[in-house]
Amino acid sequence: MSAEASNPAATPTPCEDSQGDGRWMSQHVRFVSECKEREPDVVFVGDSLVQLMHQFGIWRQLFSPLHCLNFGIGGDATQHVLWRLSNGELDNISPKVVVLWVGTNNHGHTAEQIASGIMEIVQLIHNKLPNAHTLVLGVLPRGRMPNPLRQRNAEVNKLVQDALSSLSHASFFNVDPGFVLSDGSISHQDISVHYHSGLRPCFQRALPSAL
């Protein structure tokens, strides 16, 4: 899967400054600065699900001892992460693992386009950090009841998992601990807390082998 001009999900693109306050670019500049000041073992890259990890005990318990960097920005899609990583966010550091979690915000893109965007990020990480292992986390199901977005995300995961199966420098990990109930619904009650608390056993299994 290589980037094509016809695939916006695999074309590095800065996020539009819709609020007019330069917030997204400011966060990117801060991340680039952190690369010059820190020596992380693990770097997390992605959207709000990565960004919000700072608010949960899992970060303090599992990741702070590893001097992790959190490069998550709410609302980011694959093309935004591609731009950020192409413009300094992986420079001057040598982490052992890069954890990538992105794809849920690629509105209007097909499963194939999103998977191609994720794989383009994986290749970029490998080009910049040839000794690091990339751990790609599966896109979570969306919506309270079954819907096309949930189906699309499942297709993205299958495509990415298949593409990564032949690579030694990257792997796929399904972080869904069973959010979908027997009737096909997902509870919206404290869903963000459940997402992040559910990650603890997943990372306890996945990170040691990657490190």
Side-chain angles (χ1 to χ4, degrees):
M1 296 183 186
S2 60
E4 300 176 0
S6 60
N7 182 5
T11 303
T13 308
C15 187
E16 181 181 355
D17 186 17
S18 58
Q19 301 294 327
D21 58 3
R23 185 182 314 172
W24 187 87
M25 189 60 69
S26 294
Q27 291 182 86
H28 166 66
V29 170
R30 176 168 61 85
F31 294 158
V32 173
S33 178
E34 287 183 347
C35 286
K36 300 175 182 178
E37 302 168 354
R38 305 275 295 278
E39 296 181 2
D41 288 329
V42 180
V43 176
F44 284 79
V45 180
D47 51 40
S48 61
L49 289 172
V50 170
Q51 184 180 30
L52 292 172
M53 281 185 179
H54 275 305
Q55 300 180 14
F56 294 87
I58 183 176
W59 187 266
R60 295 186 297 274
Q61 295 165 6
L62 294 184
F63 307 133
S64 289
L66 298 174
H67 311 289
C68 291
L69 288 178
N70 185 316
F71 290 167
I73 298 182
D76 262 15
T78 54
Q79 65 270 23
H80 306 134
V81 170
L82 267 172
W83 190 92
R84 292 200 277 125
L85 299 189
S86 298
N87 287 274
E89 289 190 17
L90 294 182
D91 296 352
N92 305 302
I93 55 175
S94 300
K96 298 176 182 177
V97 178
V98 177
V99 180
L100 175 64
W101 204 5
V102 70
T104 194
N105 294 316
N106 281 81
H107 308 300
H109 297 155
T110 67
E112 290 76 13
Q113 288 176 321
I114 299 169
S116 180
I118 291 172
M119 292 306 299
E120 197 68 25
I121 298 172
V122 171
Q123 184 60 52
L124 175 62
I125 293 171
H126 185 56
N127 291 344
K128 285 182 168 287
L129 303 172
N131 296 319
H133 186 87
T134 301
L135 183 63
V136 180
L137 305 186
V139 183
L140 289 171
R142 294 191 64 156
R144 182 175 180 275
M145 298 300 295
N147 62 83
L149 274 181
R150 195 186 292 183
Q151 180 180 350
R152 184 204 66 179
N153 287 357
E155 293 174 1
V156 170
N157 289 341
K158 179 65 166 59
L159 289 168
V160 172
Q161 186 172 16
D162 289 347
L164 292 175
S165 63
S166 61
L167 301 181
S168 61
H169 59 81
S171 55
F172 178 87
F173 200 82
N174 179 18
V175 296
D176 180 358
F179 294 120
V180 180
L181 304 178
S182 58
D183 63 355
S185 68
I186 298 178
S187 172
H188 278 242
Q189 183 179 7
D190 300 325
I191 195 167
S192 181
V193 175
H194 290 310
Y195 275 180
H196 288 89
S197 62
L199 291 178
R200 180 182 177 87
C202 296
F203 281 122
Q204 286 178 324
R205 294 194 302 271
L207 271 184
S209 59
L211 287 166

